[in-house]
Amino acid sequence: MDFFKRYGAIGGSQPQSPTETIQRMADRADTSTLLEDKRAAVLGLKGLSREYKKDVGEVALDTLLKVLKEDSEDHNLLKAILETLNNLCTRDSPGGESLETGATLADPVADKFSQAILRDSDDVISIFLGLLGDADFYVRYYTVQLLSALHMCSGDELQQRVLVSPTG
């Protein structure tokens, strides 16, 4: 075992910071050709998005939207992307509990990422609306959750995008 540690094969490398890990996962999701590799990278980002919401959103939001547009036929990948986007766009209360339906506390991080999704030039809202007709229950469920989170952050803009969308 000392042989492997000495030459860095096992346990010899320095631990990565969360930002480095997020960057590496985003790069893997963006450049991988195998669907399993993309799925593993997105699942890693999903896990990190709960604790490092701001870092994941700043580094990987564009990559997540790109993968959503390109690989929307794999339900497991879709669910992971939608859950990650939900984590990024859901407002958190200061105490850490989830917000009640009527609460209007501002979360600048969630608002920022919601605005970025709504301002996407390739009309991601049409993709979300198309996913509402998907056969998989969880894809529909996470899509409704995401649309609800987007509505809480910027309802008027979401309404405009839905009305302009061909599938709206």
Side-chain angles (χ1 to χ4, degrees):
M1 200 63 160
D2 285 336
F3 174 78
F4 291 117
K5 285 184 181 178
R6 191 173 325 145
Y7 293 104
I10 297 176
S13 62
Q14 296 290 332
Q16 290 183 344
S17 71
T19 307
E20 291 171 345
T21 304
I22 291 166
Q23 182 64 46
R24 183 168 293 185
M25 295 282 184
D27 289 342
R28 269 184 57 197
D30 191 28
T31 59
S32 294
T33 55
L34 293 175
L35 208 51
E36 293 83 18
D37 291 341
K38 283 186 183 187
R39 189 180 314 123
V42 171
L43 286 170
L45 288 170
K46 180 183 98 172
L48 290 168
S49 69
R50 292 182 188 103
E51 194 170 337
Y52 303 102
K53 178 191 272 193
K54 184 178 179 195
D55 294 333
V56 171
E58 288 174 351
V59 173
L61 183 63
D62 292 333
T63 300
L64 290 168
L65 294 176
K66 177 184 169 196
V67 172
L68 176 70
K69 294 170 197 168
E70 293 174 355
D71 298 312
S72 60
E73 69 276 349
D74 181 39
H75 292 289
N76 292 326
L77 182 61
L78 273 176
K79 288 187 275 190
I81 292 171
L82 290 170
E83 282 183 271
T84 307
L85 293 175
N86 269 326
N87 290 342
L88 297 177
C89 295
T90 301
R91 292 180 172 176
D92 294 329
S93 67
E97 313 97 31
S98 60
L99 292 175
E100 299 172 11
T101 309
T104 58
L105 294 174
D107 182 359
V109 175
D111 292 344
K112 174 183 171 184
F113 298 136
S114 297
Q115 289 294 324
I117 290 173
L118 289 172
R119 296 198 197 294
D120 186 62
S121 62
D122 292 334
D123 200 19
V124 183
I125 300 303
S126 293
I127 295 172
F128 294 149
L129 294 174
L131 291 175
L132 289 174
D134 197 275
D136 189 281
F137 169 77
Y138 287 104
V139 170
R140 292 191 314 261
Y141 177 71
Y142 295 132
T143 303
V144 168
Q145 276 188 331
L146 179 59
L147 288 172
S148 175
L150 292 173
H151 183 264
M152 286 188 70
C153 290
S154 46
D156 293 336
E157 189 169 346
L158 176 65
Q159 183 179 4
Q160 288 175 340
R161 297 294 296 259
V162 168
L163 291 174
V164 172
S165 173
T167 57

